[in-house]
Amino acid sequence: MVRIIENLNLSEQVTNDLGRAIVAGEYSCESGLPTEAQLCEEYGISRTAVREAVKMLAAKGLISSRPRQGISVEQPSNWNLYDTSVLSWLLDSSPSLHVLKEFLQMRLAIEPQAAALAAEFALDEDIAQIEKAVEAMRVAAVDPSASMHDADLAFHTSVLFASRNRFFFQLRDFISTALNVSIQHTTPAKANDVAVAEDHAKICTAIRNRQPERAKNLMTHLIDEAMTFIEAEIKRRS
């Protein structure tokens, strides 16, 4: 079934629809994809639009297209998980909790160090952005009309930026994409938005007070706690 998404051109629509189907297992290395002609007929678009979609899927590592061999679906190990579209499709699929666990493992390798670097190298305006995000979280914790979700995302991306490490900041879209799903599981599990906001505030204070080790440890604890919730949910569903 073709999924229609506003503001996407025809090639992007096909890319999105086929990408989701591949990640969900509807198409595999064994089954392959429909032929170019079949895709043209199914979507009612030109070969040019289909070929553009194939190029985009190939760039994401989901498929490969070779002369005289046609289009092949790639093994999941070849997928570009740093591509935010691929990550979104993965998180929308049934094994999303297992993907989130892997994502949290990666966050443990990055965000505590980013917090430590922020405590050392953040500019005053960087810290002001982190404080702004914390204040937004505190407001959202007691005001149902405010967005805790958006404020939480702003906090984590602000810490990445404040690290003054360009490689870390380049991960902001990747981190935000997975956090969009992760927060939906972990924040309700804690069942206390005020406590969630204050946990983030402690990290902010450590960064403001130029305490790298404390900032690192507090961020580690925050992510470890989320990991505990995800692992418990995986166990409950198994």
Side-chain angles (χ1 to χ4, degrees), residues 29 61 74-81:
C29 302
E74 288 290 326
Q75 296 282 354
S77 58
N78 292 332
W79 299 349
N80 180 8
L81 301 183

Side-chain angles (χ1 to χ4, degrees), residues 135-233:
E135 184 56 32
M137 291 186 74
R138 283 171 165 160
V139 169
V142 296
D143 180 2
S145 66
S147 174
M148 171 70 81
H149 185 90
D150 291 345
D152 202 342
L153 288 175
F155 173 87
H156 289 280
T157 54
S158 294
V159 170
L160 288 173
F161 185 79
S163 73
R164 289 288 152 178
N165 182 302
R166 291 173 295 173
F167 292 95
F168 282 177
F169 188 59
Q170 285 287 319
L171 292 172
R172 66 191 182 279
D173 292 338
F174 170 80
I175 296 287
S176 294
T177 298
L179 272 173
N180 270 317
V181 176
S182 179
I183 290 170
Q184 296 171 28
H185 290 276
T186 57
T187 298
K190 192 158 186 175
N192 188 335
D193 286 349
V194 172
V196 170
E198 290 311 308
D199 284 345
H200 288 70
K202 290 175 184 176
I203 299 170
C204 178
T205 299
I207 292 173
R208 184 175 61 243
N209 291 341
R210 305 298 180 178
Q211 298 173 302
E213 197 62 28
R214 178 167 172 77
K216 182 177 183 177
N217 290 338
L218 288 168
M219 184 67 85
T220 299
H221 174 75
L222 188 74
I223 301 172
D224 264 336
E225 192 173 47
M227 178 75 81
T228 299
F229 291 139
I230 293 298
E231 288 178 336
E233 185 65 11

Side-chain angles (χ1 to χ4, degrees), residues 11 14-20 22 33 39 50-64 71 74 86 89:
S11 295
V14 176
T15 301
N16 183 76
D17 199 53
L18 290 178
R20 287 180 179 277
I22 291 169
L33 281 179
L39 290 172
V50 168
R51 287 168 184 168
E52 184 61 31
V54 167
K55 287 180 183 178
M56 287 190 275
L57 289 170
K60 298 175 188 297
L62 297 183
I63 65 171
S64 57
I71 304 170
E74 288 290 326
V86 176
W89 299 331

Side-chain angles (χ1 to χ4, degrees), residues 111-131:
E111 291 194 69
Q113 184 62 32
L117 290 173
E120 289 192 74
F121 302 115
L123 304 180
D124 289 344
E125 54 264 37
D126 300 335
I127 295 173
Q129 287 301 309
I130 299 172
E131 291 174 332

